[in-house]
Amino acid sequence: MSDTAPAPVEEVTRRGQARKNRRQGGVVEQRSTLQVWGKSALLGVILLWCLFPFFWLIMTSLKIGDRALNSPDLFQGPFGLQNYEAVFGQNFHLNLRNSFVVAGATTIICILVGSLTAYAIARLPLKRKILLLSGVLAVSLFPPVALVPPLYELWRNLGLLNTWEGLYIPYTAFTLPLTIFILMTFYASIPKDLEEAARVDGATPFQAFWRVILPLAAPGVFAAAIIIFVLSWNEFLLANTFAPRNPEIAQTVPVAIAAFTGAVPFQRPIGTITAACVIVTIPMIIIALIFQKRIVAGLTAGSVKG
Amino acid sequence: MAKIEFDGVWKRFPDGTEAVKDLNLQVDDGEFVILVGPSGCGKSTALRMVAGLETISEGKMVIGDRVVNDLSPGERDIAMVFQSYALYPHMSVGDNMGFALKMAKIPKNEIEERVNKAADILGLTEYLHRKPKALSGGQRQRVAMGRAIVRNPQAFLMDEPLSNLDAKLRVQMRAEIAALQNRLGVTTLYVTHDQIEAMTMGDRVAVLKLGELQQVDSPQALYDNPDNLFVAGFIGSPAMNLAEGTVDDVDGEIRVKLGTLSSLKVNDKALERYPGLRSRVGGKVAVGMRPEHFFRADGSTPQDQMMPERNVTMVELLGSEVLVHFGTSASPIITEDMRQAVDDPEAFAEMEREAREGGQQFVSKMEPQDAPKVGDRVDVGFRADQMHFFDIETGLALR
Amino acid sequence: MAKIEFDGVWKRFPDGTEAVKDLNLQVDDGEFVILVGPSGCGKSTALRMVAGLETISEGKMVIGDRVVNDLSPGERDIAMVFQSYALYPHMSVGDNMGFALKMAKIPKNEIEERVNKAADILGLTEYLHRKPKALSGGQRQRVAMGRAIVRNPQAFLMDEPLSNLDAKLRVQMRAEIAALQNRLGVTTLYVTHDQIEAMTMGDRVAVLKLGELQQVDSPQALYDNPDNLFVAGFIGSPAMNLAEGTVDDVDGEIRVKLGTLSSLKVNDKALERYPGLRSRVGGKVAVGMRPEHFFRADGSTPQDQMMPERNVTMVELLGSEVLVHFGTSASPIITEDMRQAVDDPEAFAEMEREAREGGQQFVSKMEPQDAPKVGDRVDVGFRADQMHFFDIETGLALR
Amino acid sequence: TPGGDDDEAEGGEMVWAIGGSEAQVGGVHQTIAERWSEANPDNPIRIEILPEAADEQREQQALDLQAEAGGFDVLGVDVIWTGEYSENEWLESLEDIRGDIEAVTLPGPFETGIWGGELWAAPYNSNAGFLYYRTDLIDTPPTTWEELCQVAEEAGSAEGIAGFVGQGAQYEGFVVNWLEYYWGLGGELYNEDQSEVLFDVELATQATEFMADALSDCYAPGFNTSMEEEARNEFQGGNAVFMRNWPYAYSLIQEDTGSPANENFDIAPLPTFTGQGTISALGGFNNAVSAFSNNKEAAKEFVLWAATDPEVQATLATEASLPPTMASVYDDLADDPVMSLLGEVLSEAKPRPPAPQWNEISVTMQRALYPAYNGEGDPRSAAEEVLAFLEGTVGN
Amino acid sequence: MADTQIAPEPGTRAGAGPGGPRAAKRKGLSERALARVFVAPSVLLMALVALFPVIWAIVISLFLYTRRQQTGFGGLENYTDALTSGRFWDSVWFTFVFTVSSVTFEFLIGLGFALLMNQAFRGRGVTRAAILVPWVIPTVIAAQMWFFMFNVTPGFINNLLGLGNFNWLGQPGWPIFAVVFADVWKTAPFVALLLLAGLQTIPGDVYESARVDDAGMFQRFWFITMPLLKPAILVALLFRTVDALRVYDLPAVMTQGAFGTESLAILVREFVVRTPNPGFGAALSTLTFILVLGVGMIFVILLGRDLVIGTEGEE
Ligand SMILES: Nc1ncnc2c1ncn2[C@@H]1O[C@H](COP(=O)(O)OP(=O)(O)OP(=O)(O)O)[C@@H](O)[C@H]1O
Ligand SMILES: Nc1ncnc2c1ncn2[C@@H]1O[C@H](COP(=O)(O)OP(=O)(O)OP(=O)(O)O)[C@@H](O)[C@H]1O
Ligand SMILES: [Mg+2]
Ligand SMILES: [Mg+2]
C-alpha cells in the first residue's frame, strides 16, 4: 500500500527539490532504487490494465475491412481513417454537441442544486435527515427501465420529447442523489469552526457556504463533476427513449452509436462504433484531466488548531 | 454597543455534559469582562453561546435589549476570536481579515485600509499575501485576532487570543486591545488563562468552575477578597497556600495554629475583613496565605508573625523574584470542592496522604537577595494583615 | 536517550522563507533545553526538523550519534507535542494516547495502564472515551501532551504544550513534566512563550530570533547576562527598559546620563560585568534596566541612584505587585536589530517619534504598598549594580 | 374500411418507422421512400430511422403506439410481431387490400402478415437461412444434418478447423436454428390457424439432443455464444467448414479477397433430417399501417405499393440484397446465385408463428432448450416445458 | 457607530419595548428555513421526475395484464407470482453473487488506484486520467468489447494467454467470472475517483502525528486512512452496490443471461420490454427497488450515524 500524505503536484515539478522534498512539508522518506523500480513497475501494470482495452479500441477503430476488424490480431491491417470519416459523415458532430449541452447542463445544475441540498443535510438544522437521505437515495434506485413508459407519457404531454431539457432534467434528477451523497461527506469533513467563523463575520448561511465551504470542498465538487458528466454523457436508456432520433435536435452520442449499422443487415459496425467511442472518450479524458487538477489535498491545512 | 446578559443560561451537550450551569452574568455596555476558570469549565461554551454558535439549552441570552436566543450569529453583530483560530485556509491573510468587512459591503479601499492598519498592529504586514498554512502558530493566532479587530461590532468575544504569542508581543497586544476597546467602547468578553491579562485588562473578572459562576468582581477585589476557596486558589500565580488551621483565642487575641508548630496572630485588619472568624474560635478553618506575603524573617520579626526554621525544599529562580518552597506541618484542605478544583485524582490522592501525615509544602515569593538554598532552614515571616479565612466545609469566606 | 545536535542546519521553505538559519545547537543527553523566541522565529520549524517532519535544507541533524537527515520520523524514536495538537479525530482520548504504544506492540494491559496513569496526571480520566471534538481547547492540549508522556522515547519535543491551560494546571503540569523528564532522563526540547516555564523548567534556554540562534545559557545567566540587546529585551516580563545613554567619567566615577535629566552612577559591580563600558566614555551606549530593579526612592536614596520626580503615566495592579509606568526623557534605542525584534512598523514609527522627541516610558515593578497613583510625580530609584550596557550599533553586550 | 375521423387530415407527409442499415441515408428503404414521394407529392413519406436492434425498434414503436401518439403512419414490423401488434390494436386491418397482396406474394412471407385470419401487415422483405460450405473441402453439400455433422467433423479435423458454425447463443437466433432442426424432423408448433398445439415432445427432444451431441462433435468452439456475426467471422476467417447463416454473409465473404473462404465457398439449402427438401425459418420485415395514423388511406396505398410493385421489390434485391416477398421477382433474378437459391428456399420456408405470444414462446424456448443442449438440463423435460407453455397460449 | 446605548439595529429599534428585553424579530431566513430552501430544488426536481413514474409503476403493479392488455385488479398477485417463481430467485441469487464479488474487487482495486493517484509523482495528472479511461467508455461498448475479449471469436484473451479455444462465456461458472471481471475493470475507476476525492479530506497533520508515533505505512493506512476515509468508502460502496444490484448491460450483452447470469434488471426488462407484462414488470421493479433500497438503507444509516446525527436540530 502506499502512503497517503497530502502531496501537491507543484512541489514535484520543481525538479531540483523534488528528490529531497518529495512531499508537502517535506517529510523525510528514504527511497531505494528498488522501491522506485517497484513502483514504476506497478504503475506500468496498472496503466496496462486500464489502457489495454482502450488501446484495443483505438487499434480497431483504425482498421478497415471486414476481416481485419474481426481479427484477434491487433496489428492486422489494413489501417486507415475511413471509420472516422464514416462517423463524421453521420452528423456525429451534432451528436457531440447535444451530448455536450446535455451533460454540461446536467453537471452544472446538479452541482448547483445538489451542493445546496448536501450542505443543508450536512450542516443546517433539519429534522429527519436520515429519512430525507433515504428518500433522496430511493429516487435513483427504481429500475429505470420500468420508469420509462410513464415518463415517456409525461414527457410527451409536457412536450419534452426530443428536447435537451427532456434529457438533462431527468439526468439531473437521477444523478442528484449521488451528487448529494458525495458532497455531503465532503462538507461534513470541513471543520465546522470555519463556517462558524464566517457566520460570526456576518456572512449569511448562503455566503458562508458559497465563500468558505464550497471552495474547500473543491476536490469533492470536481470529483462529483467528473462523475456526473461522465454518467450523463454515457446515459443510454432515457436518451434512446426520449430523443431516439435526429441529431439536429437532441440525439446524444451513445444513441447515435447504437444506431450505427453495418453496410448490410446483421453486419456489426465495429469499425465505426470503436471510432465513435474513441472520439467520445477523448473529450471526457480531457475533462477528467482538467478537473482532476482540483482534486488536491490539504485545502484546510492551517485553518484550525486542535 | 450593547450590554450582554446571561440570564439563567444552561448548556447541555447532546451527550449530557453540562458545560454551563445557570449562568447569570451581565456585561455592561462598553465593559471589558474577563472570563477565567480551569480548563474545561465552560468558558468557550459561554462565549460561543453569546456568538450564537451553540444553542442555549435553557435561559435567556440578551444582547443590547434583544433576546438573541434564536438569532443567527450574523445577526448578532459580534466579532469573535476563536480559540481554534478558524482561519479561512483558502484565503490569504489579508482576505481573512477583510472577510467580515466584505460581507458588510464596506468599500474596497476602506477594507484595505482597515486591514493594513490591523496588520500593522499585529505585525503581519509582510504576511498579508500568505495563506494560513504557511504561517507559524503565533502568526495564525494574530490573524485570528486581526479578523476581529478590523471590525467595529456590538461586542468582542475573544477566546484566549494571545495564548500563543511571545511575552513581548503579548504585552504589546494587550495594550492594543485595551486601547482599541477603550476607543471603540465595545463591550468585550475575554477568556484568558494568563493571570496578568486577567488582572490588568478587564474592568471585571468572572470566575467559572465546572460551568458555575463563582465570583465576578474587579481584579483587585477578586484578589484581595475571594468569595470562596476556589477563587482564592485559582486567582494568583503561584496560587495561594491553603491549609487547615485551628482558631484560638489567646487573651482576646485571635490566633491560628497551622499544624503542630506555628501559631500566627490574626491582626485587626484581617479580622475586619473576616469577621466570621470570631465565631470559629476553637474550630477549624481554612487559612489562605499568598506567596508574596511571606518574607524572610529576621530578628525584628515578631514570633507570632513567623514560622520558624522551615525546611527549604525547592528554590525557583524567576529572574526578578524567587519562589521558595518550604515544608510545614499544616494539613491541606480537602473538600469535595477542592477535589473538583484540582480535577486530578492523583494529585488529590497525594494531598490526602499529606493530610494524613499532617504536612504540606508552602510556596513563598521572596526577593532574590533573600533567597535561601535548598536544605536551609529559614524563618519565614508572614504579613499578619493578609491572611484569608474560609469555612472548611462550604469553602465560603468567613465574612 | 540521546543527544540532539543541530549542525549548521538551515530550513528554506519552497517560497523562499528562511525559517531557520545556520542553527548550531547541542542538546546533551538527558538535558532539558527550552527554545524561546518571538512568534514566527522558527521554533516549531526547528522542532519539526528534529522530528523529521520537515526536510533539512542544509546542515546535519544528529540524534544520538546517528545523522538522521534521511531517517523517517518513526525511526527517530521521538515523542512530540504538536503546537496544533494534531489529534486523531476518529479515536477516543484513550486511543489517541495509546496509539504510539499500540504501534510499538506494547501489550494491551500495559498500554491501558500507562494511558490511565497519564490521564490521571492530566486530569483526563473522565474523558478517556470521548472523541477530541467534544473536548475543550485545554483538554485537547492535554491529550496532545498525554500522547507524548505515555511514551518512553529518545527525546521529547514539546511545542508550547501548556499554552492553553489555566495557571493552576500549568503549574501542576510543569512539575509533572519536570519530574517525568528527570525520572526518565529523556533529552527534551521544549518551546514556550511562558517566561516562568522558560526560567524554571530547563537546564538551558536557547533564544532564537528570525531563525538565528542568539544565545544559549542557563536561565539565570541569560537573565543576568544577556549577550545582546535582543536577548536582553526578550527575556523577562515586563521587558527590560532600554534607552540611549551617554557615558560620562565624573572624577573617575563612571556615570550614564539618560536623556536630559538623570545621571546615574554605574557602580563597580556593574562595571565588572561590563568592562567594555570604560572605553565608551563620552560616547553613547544602550542602557538596560529591568523593571524589578526600580524602587520607590525615599530620603535615603542617593541622588545618583534615582530619577527624580517622574510623572506616573500608568499603574497596573497585578495583585502581588504593581507595574508603574513613568515618563523619562531618555531616547529609545533604534537599531535595525531592534526594528526587527519589534516586528511592527507602527510601534517602530512611534518609537522613532519618541526618539525624536527624546523621551520614552519606563516600566517599573514595585511593591503594592509603594504604588503611586497615575499623575503622581515620584522619585524612582534604581539599583546601580543592575544596569546593563550594550553597543548601540551592534547590540552586543559591552563585555 | 377505417373510420372517417382522419378525413380532414387526409394528405400530408407520412412517417415510416423502420430500422436497420437499409433505413439509413443511402439505404434501399430511403430509395423506395423517395420514389414514392416523387410519385405521390401529396402524400410523401419520410423515414424515422429506428435503431439497429429489433428489440429497440419494437420498443420505440411500442412507446409511440401505446401513447396513441400517431407519430408513425407506416411501421416496419418484424415478421414475428404481427400477432402482438394486432392484438394490441395498434394496426389497421389490411383485409381490404389482402387480395391484391396475396395474389403476388410468396405464401410463406404472406403468412407472416396474418393473425387471427386477418391481414395486418403487408409483406415487404423476407429472409431465410442458407447452408454455406467450403467448396475446397467438400464436393457436395450434405442433405441431412447427421451427414453434415459427420462431414464437418471429418473435413474439419483434417484441415485443423472447426466443423459447423451457426447461431447458438441464447437469443432469438438460437430459436430459429433449433426450429430448423425441429421442423427438419417433421415437427410443428401449432396447427394451421394456431388454435391447437402440435408440439411433439419426442421430436423436440431429438432436436435438442442432436444439438447437444453436435456441440461436442461438429459444432465449432464457441458455438453456444455465437450469433450471426460470430458465425460469419469464423467461416470467413477460414475456421469452419459449414455455416448456417442468412444471405447477407454471401456478398461479404465474396468481397473479402483475403479470406480463405473467398472463392472457395458456396451456398446450399439447409439440410433436414430426412434428406428431403429443405426447411428454413423465415425472417424479414412487413409494413403495417398504424391504427393511430392520420393518413391511413395513403399509408395503406403505400404498403400495398411496397408489397406489390415489382420495381420496388426488385430494387430490394438488386440494391440491397434484401430478399423480396413477391414471387415473380425471383424469376427475373435467376442468375443471381443468392436470389435464385432464395427463390427456392423461401417457397419451403416456415414462418415462426406470428402469435401475440411469440416473444414469450421464444423466451421460454430459449430458457428451456438452451441449457438443455448445453448439458445443463434434460432435453425431454425442456421439451415438456415448452409444450406446457405452448398449451397455455391456446387457452386464451 | 451611533452613540446610542441600544443596539442600533435599523428596523428593529422601532419596536423595542421600553426597558425589558424582548424577543427580537428575525430578519432574513432562519437557518431552519434556509435549510428547507436549500433542499427544496433538489426535492422538487427529483419528485417531478421520479415521483409520478414510481407511483404509476407501483400502482400498475397491482393490476393484472395479458401482455399489454389490462385484465383487472390483482392486488398482490403479481408479487406472489414473482416471489414464487424460481426465475426470480435465480436472478436474485446471481445479482447477489455478482454484487458481492464485483463490489469487493472494485473496492480493493479502486482503493489501490486511489492511493496511487494520491501520490505525488511526475505524470500524476495523466495517470489519473488514464485510470479513469475504463470508466468513461460507454458501458454498452465496454460490454461489447469484453464480449470480444472473452468470446471464442475473435478471442483476444485466449490469444493473449494462449488458451486456445477456451469457452469463457459458454460453459457453466465462467460467464459469471467474465461478467464480474468486466464490471470490475469498468467501475473500479469510479470507486477510485470517489476514494481519491475522499483522501483529500484527511488532514495532513494526522499523518505527521502517526509518523512520529512510529506507525508504519501499513499501520498509517489501516489506523488513520481507513477510518478517516470511512464516509467516502461508504458512499462509494453504497452507489456501487445499488448499481451492481441493478446491473444490466454487461450480462445482457456478454451472455444474454445464459448460464445463470440473468440479473434482476434483465428480468425486469424482460417483462417491461421484451415480453411486455406491465403489471408483472412493475411488480418485479418494485421488488428490485425494495431490495436495493433495503441494502442502500444499511449504508445510509451507517453514513448518517457518522455525518448527520449531531448536526440535527436539538429539539
Ligand atoms: N510552509 C511554510 N511556507 C513558508 N513559510 C513558512 C511555512 N511555515 C512556516 N513558515 C514561516 O517560517 C517562520 C517560522 O515558523 P515557525 O512555525 O517555526 O515559527 P514559530 O517560532 O514556531 O512561531 P510561533 O511561536 O508563532 O509558533 C515563520 O515566519 C513562518 O511564517
Ligand atoms: N461537543 C461537546 N460534547 C460534549 N461535551 C463537550 C462538547 N464540547 C465541549 N464539551 C465539554 O464542555 C466543557 C466545557 O468546554 P469549553 O470548551 O467551554 O471549556 P473551556 O472553559 O473553554 O476550556 P479551555 O480552557 O480548556 O478551552 C468541557 O468539559 C468539555 O469537555
Ligand atoms: Mg476554551
Ligand atoms: Mg510554533
Side-chain angles (χ1 to χ4, degrees), chain C residues 171-192:
Chain C
V171 171
Q172 243 171 271
M173 288 300 119
R174 270 202 305 257
E176 295 289 354
I177 294 172
L180 181 82
Q181 200 264 346
N182 239 313
R183 180 156 45 81
L184 300 179
V186 177
T187 314
T188 304
L189 244 180
Y190 187 103
V191 172
T192 185

Side-chain angles (χ1 to χ4, degrees), chain B residues 136-138, chain C residues 40 42-45 83 159-160 191 193:
Chain B
S136 82
Chain C
K43 302 179 295 298
S44 301
T45 308
Q83 188 171 14
D159 202 347
E160 305 186 24
V191 172
H193 286 312

Side-chain angles (χ1 to χ4, degrees), chain B residues 294-305:
Chain B
F294 290 96
F295 54 91
R296 180 100 182 236
D298 51 25
S300 63
T301 316
Q303 278 300 318
D304 58 1
Q305 291 186 21

Side-chain angles (χ1 to χ4, degrees), chain A residues 66-67 240 245 261 268, chain D residues 48 56 60 230 232 256:
Chain A
D66 194 60
R67 203 152 48 80
N240 190 40
R245 298 171 284 275
T261 54
R268 230 184 250 138
Chain D
E48 280 279 5
E56 303 278 358
Q60 290 202 5
E230 280 72 38
R232 177 173 71 85
D256 181 6

Side-chain angles (χ1 to χ4, degrees), chain B residues 90-378:
Chain B
H90 57 302
M91 296 183 197
S92 68
V93 168
D95 292 343
N96 259 285
M97 298 210 280
F99 185 73
L101 305 180
K102 192 160 149 193
M103 292 299 101
K105 307 236 178 348
I106 308 271
K108 263 223 170 95
N109 49 353
E110 195 187 332
I111 295 183
E112 199 174 328
E113 202 177 290
R114 280 160 78 170
V115 167
N116 283 339
K117 189 142 164 278
D120 267 6
I121 294 178
L122 297 162
L124 289 173
T125 308
E126 59 179 305
Y127 306 111
L128 276 180
H129 295 287
R130 283 225 195 137
K131 295 273 173 69
K133 78 168 173 202
L135 295 180
S136 82
Q139 287 161 346
R140 287 179 200 171
Q141 191 167 43
R142 282 180 272 162
V143 178
M145 248 333 265
R147 271 203 322 210
I149 66 171
V150 293
R151 296 179 55 190
N152 191 353
Q154 298 254 6
F156 278 132
L157 306 176
M158 302 198 180
D159 201 346
E160 307 185 23
L162 307 179
S163 60
N164 285 86
L165 302 185
D166 59 276
K168 197 156 178 155
L169 201 53
R170 206 180 291 188
V171 171
Q172 241 170 273
M173 288 301 118
R174 272 203 303 258
E176 294 289 353
I177 293 172
L180 180 83
Q181 199 265 348
N182 238 316
R183 181 154 46 79
L184 300 179
V186 178
T187 315
T188 303
L189 244 179
Y190 187 104
V191 172
T192 185
H193 287 312
D194 185 311
Q195 296 271 343
I196 301 187
E197 284 170 28
M199 297 309 283
T200 60
M201 293 180 78
D203 298 319
R204 287 192 298 156
V205 177
V207 184
L208 272 170
K209 189 194 89 190
L210 289 172
E212 287 175 70
L213 186 62
Q214 302 293 309
Q215 190 175 358
V216 203
D217 217 328
S218 75
Q220 201 62 38
L222 216 56
Y223 190 84
D224 292 338
N225 300 308
D227 271 358
N228 59 33
L229 268 177
F230 177 79
V231 176
F234 191 78
I235 298 286
S237 175
M240 187 187 276
N241 298 291
L242 293 168
E244 205 176 274
T246 322
V247 186
D248 285 332
D249 189 337
V250 179
D251 310 330
E253 228 183 53
I254 303 282
R255 286 165 172 268
V256 281
K257 196 169 158 60
L258 299 173
T260 52
L261 272 172
S262 331
S263 175
L264 295 171
K265 181 181 154 186
V266 181
N267 75 359
D268 292 345
K269 238 174 162 174
L271 274 174
E272 232 167 74
R273 291 192 295 144
Y274 295 98
L277 189 64
R278 289 189 189 281
S279 60
R280 300 298 172 105
V281 170
K284 293 199 181 235
V285 295
V287 183
M289 303 162 92
R290 291 213 181 268
E292 61 270 24
H293 298 140
F294 290 96
F295 54 91
R296 180 100 182 236
D298 51 25
S300 63
T301 316
Q303 278 300 318
D304 58 1
Q305 291 186 21
M306 75 178 207
M307 305 172 177
E309 304 218 354
R310 296 296 84 211
N311 182 22
V312 175
T313 53
M314 197 194 320
V315 177
E316 295 179 73
L317 303 174
L318 296 186
S320 68
E321 60 214 1
V322 177
L323 296 184
V324 179
H325 299 242
F326 57 90
T328 72
S329 57
S331 307
I333 310 294
I334 316 159
T335 58
E336 191 48 31
D337 198 78
M338 277 297 296
R339 190 196 144 84
Q340 283 176 0
V342 167
D343 194 21
D344 171 356
E346 187 174 88
F348 181 70
E350 188 172 331
M351 270 164 71
E352 267 189 326
R353 188 178 44 72
E354 279 178 349
R356 270 198 311 281
E357 292 169 10
Q360 70 167 331
Q361 302 263 315
F362 272 18
V363 181
S364 65
K365 214 187 240 177
M366 297 186 182
E367 298 283 295
Q369 69 266 31
D370 295 341
K373 288 202 171 41
V374 174
D376 285 1
R377 296 199 151 255
V378 296

Side-chain angles (χ1 to χ4, degrees), chain D residues 121-185:
Chain D
Y124 179 51
N125 66 64
S126 188
N127 225 340
F130 290 166
L131 180 68
Y132 290 70
Y133 66 97
R134 288 281 291 276
T135 49
D136 54 338
L137 302 178
I138 52 165
D139 305 328
T140 49
T143 54
T144 72
W145 286 111
E146 279 106 349
E147 185 191 346
L148 179 140
C149 204
Q150 197 187 338
V151 173
E153 221 183 335
E154 283 163 14
S157 50
E159 192 70 2
I161 59 175
F164 178 76
V165 289
Q167 289 75 49
Q170 182 178 315
Y171 79 122
E172 182 73 21
F174 158 70
V175 176
V176 166
N177 278 237
W178 184 86
L179 281 173
E180 282 164 357
Y181 298 120
Y182 174 69
W183 285 330
L185 285 163

Side-chain angles (χ1 to χ4, degrees), chain C residues 345-356:
Chain C
E346 189 177 82
F348 181 69
E350 190 172 327
M351 271 166 67
E352 266 189 326
R353 190 177 41 70
E354 279 179 348
R356 270 198 311 281

Side-chain angles (χ1 to χ4, degrees), chain C residues 18-273:
Chain C
E18 291 187 336
V20 171
K21 295 176 199 157
D22 192 26
L23 180 59
N24 288 289
L25 173 65
Q26 172 154 351
V27 183
D28 289 328
D29 191 3
E31 201 186 11
F32 196 128
V33 168
I34 309 262
L35 213 52
V36 297
S39 178
C41 70
K43 302 179 295 298
S44 301
T45 308
L47 242 56
R48 290 169 55 81
M49 284 195 287
V50 179
L53 299 171
E54 300 281 359
T55 50
I56 290 157
S57 311
E58 210 176 291
K60 257 192 332 202
M61 172 72 66
V62 181
I63 298 181
D65 31 58
R66 291 186 302 171
V67 174
V68 296
N69 285 34
D70 292 327
L71 283 194
S72 76
E75 293 167 294
R76 300 183 186 197
D77 189 21
I78 30 102
M80 179 159 177
V81 181
F82 288 76
Q83 188 171 14
S84 64
Y85 314 156
L87 305 182
Y88 305 119
H90 57 295
M91 295 183 198
S92 69
V93 168
D95 292 344
N96 258 285
M97 298 209 283
F99 186 70
L101 304 181
K102 190 160 150 192
M103 293 301 101
K105 309 238 175 348
I106 308 269
K108 265 223 169 97
N109 50 352
E110 195 188 331
I111 294 183
E112 200 174 325
E113 199 178 294
R114 280 160 79 170
V115 166
N116 284 338
K117 186 141 171 277
D120 267 6
I121 295 179
L122 297 162
L124 289 173
T125 308
E126 58 180 305
Y127 307 109
L128 276 179
H129 295 286
R130 284 223 195 138
K131 295 272 172 70
K133 74 165 185 225
L135 294 180
S136 81
Q139 287 161 346
R140 287 180 204 178
Q141 191 165 44
R142 282 180 272 160
V143 178
M145 246 337 264
R147 273 202 319 207
I149 66 172
V150 293
R151 295 180 55 190
N152 191 354
Q154 297 258 5
F156 279 132
L157 305 176
M158 305 197 176
D159 202 347
E160 305 186 24
L162 308 177
S163 60
N164 285 83
L165 303 183
D166 60 275
K168 197 157 177 154
L169 201 54
R170 205 180 294 188
V171 171
Q172 243 171 271
M173 288 300 119
R174 270 202 305 257
E176 295 289 354
I177 294 172
L180 181 82
Q181 200 264 346
N182 239 313
R183 180 156 45 81
L184 300 179
V186 177
T187 314
T188 304
L189 244 180
Y190 187 103
V191 172
T192 185
H193 286 312
D194 187 309
Q195 295 271 342
I196 302 187
E197 286 170 27
M199 297 310 283
T200 58
M201 293 181 75
D203 299 317
R204 287 189 300 156
V205 177
V207 184
L208 271 170
K209 189 193 88 186
L210 288 171
E212 284 174 71
L213 185 63
Q214 302 292 309
Q215 189 174 358
V216 205
D217 217 329
S218 75
Q220 202 61 37
L222 217 56
Y223 190 83
D224 293 338
N225 299 308
D227 270 359
N228 60 32
L229 267 177
F230 176 81
V231 175
F234 190 79
I235 298 286
S237 176
M240 188 187 277
N241 298 289
L242 292 168
E244 205 174 275
T246 321
V247 186
D248 283 335
D249 186 338
V250 180
D251 310 329
E253 225 182 59
I254 302 283
R255 287 164 171 268
V256 280
K257 197 170 158 59
L258 299 173
T260 51
L261 272 173
S262 334
S263 176
L264 296 172
K265 181 183 154 186
V266 181
N267 75 0
D268 292 346
K269 237 175 163 175
L271 272 175
E272 234 167 73
R273 291 194 295 141

